Amino acid sequence: MRRKLGFETAVPSLHMSFTGAPGTGKTTVAVRMGQILAKMGYCRRGHVILATRDDLVGQYVGHTAPKTKEMIKKAMGGVLLIDEAYYLYNAANDRDYGQESIEILLNIMENNQDDVVVAVAGYKDRMDKFFSYIPGMMSRIGNHIDFPNYGADELVEIAEVMAKALEYDIEPDAYATFKEYIVLRMDLPFFSNARTVRNAMDRARMNSAIRIFDKYVIRGENDGKCTEEDLKAITCADFQVLIDDIVNADADKRIFS
């Protein structure tokens, strides 16, 4: 509408910073954001290229610039998402090649903002420290989005969505058991929000398969014939195994993904 009236229609800075713990949806939102920007006409293609330090920084002189420029080239017309961007900068080493990559990115963010959106992501405290070292990066990013941890009820809802996508049905009385597991798991190391839910659902599916095999193949119930509902069901028992693993584990030796 502004263009029809002859008004200025310059694209605003769309560079973004996503901060939050693992599994809070940063990458998922970046992908959706690329699609939205494409539909709005701000991106030609709307695709998302995910990059880490290994993709951008070389190991010897003259190696970094080509690597960084190649990733930027792939992202042109879309979004370049740099995960754990703070690893690009090494404050303890003035000769670290990450600084060269940062300088190239800053130049692209300033001069090519109409054709590529740069999004940086990572833990909030580390990203804040990164921005303090690289104020030029901070000043070029106009959109800062923090992703809080999910609550237990939200994680239960995520599990339900995952189960349906995999064509499983969580039995009504099993939700309380899963929530009990999530509440326990949230207080343990390496909790990763939706990723932890995905791992738990994978284990529950395996527990379901073991339970069905034991019931119908080993013990031969119902002449070894199970129903479609049996194959799709995830029960309290399938989640209880996860709780038992936590409760019965040696506190000093617990390792969770």
Side-chain angles (χ1 to χ4, degrees), residues 107-124:
N107 182 63
I108 291 296
M109 291 170 72
E110 184 67 28
N111 300 321
N112 295 80
Q113 63 178 355
D114 290 349
D115 203 31
V116 64
V117 174
V118 175
V120 293
Y123 290 104
K124 181 169 175 53

Side-chain angles (χ1 to χ4, degrees), residues 31-138:
V31 172
R32 298 290 187 271
M33 191 64 70
Q35 297 169 348
I36 292 170
L37 293 175
K39 289 183 179 179
M40 294 176 66
Y42 288 134
C43 287
R44 288 186 289 107
R45 298 168 60 191
H47 65 300
V48 175
I49 298 297
L50 178 62
T52 63
R53 177 187 167 93
D54 290 342
D55 300 307
L56 299 167
V57 181
Q59 298 179 341
Y60 51 83
V61 175
H63 191 207
T64 295
K67 290 190 70 172
T68 301
K69 290 178 181 178
E70 178 61 25
M71 294 304 295
I72 292 172
K73 182 179 178 181
K74 291 179 180 179
M76 281 297 178
V79 178
L80 175 61
L81 175 63
I82 305 173
D83 195 23
E84 297 184 311
Y86 32 76
Y87 287 128
L88 290 177
Y89 183 78
N90 184 354
N93 184 0
D94 292 337
R95 296 186 176 183
D96 183 73
Y97 299 129
Q99 183 63 44
E100 183 180 0
S101 180
I102 291 171
E103 291 173 359
I104 295 171
L105 288 168
L106 292 177
N107 182 63
I108 291 296
M109 291 170 72
E110 184 67 28
N111 300 321
N112 295 80
Q113 63 178 355
D114 290 349
D115 203 31
V116 64
V117 174
V118 175
V120 293
Y123 290 104
K124 181 169 175 53
D125 56 342
R126 297 186 186 182
M127 289 301 297
D128 288 343
K129 190 173 183 179
F130 172 66
F131 288 139
S132 72
Y133 287 131
I134 315 293
M137 181 73 75
M138 179 70 167

Side-chain angles (χ1 to χ4, degrees), residues 199 208 220:
N199 292 339
S208 173

Side-chain angles (χ1 to χ4, degrees), residues 217-232:
V217 178
I218 301 300
R219 288 184 281 142
E221 294 187 18
N222 195 34
D223 294 327
K225 298 177 182 179
C226 63
T227 66
E228 180 178 320
E229 288 72 23
D230 291 325
L231 293 173
K232 296 177 65 177

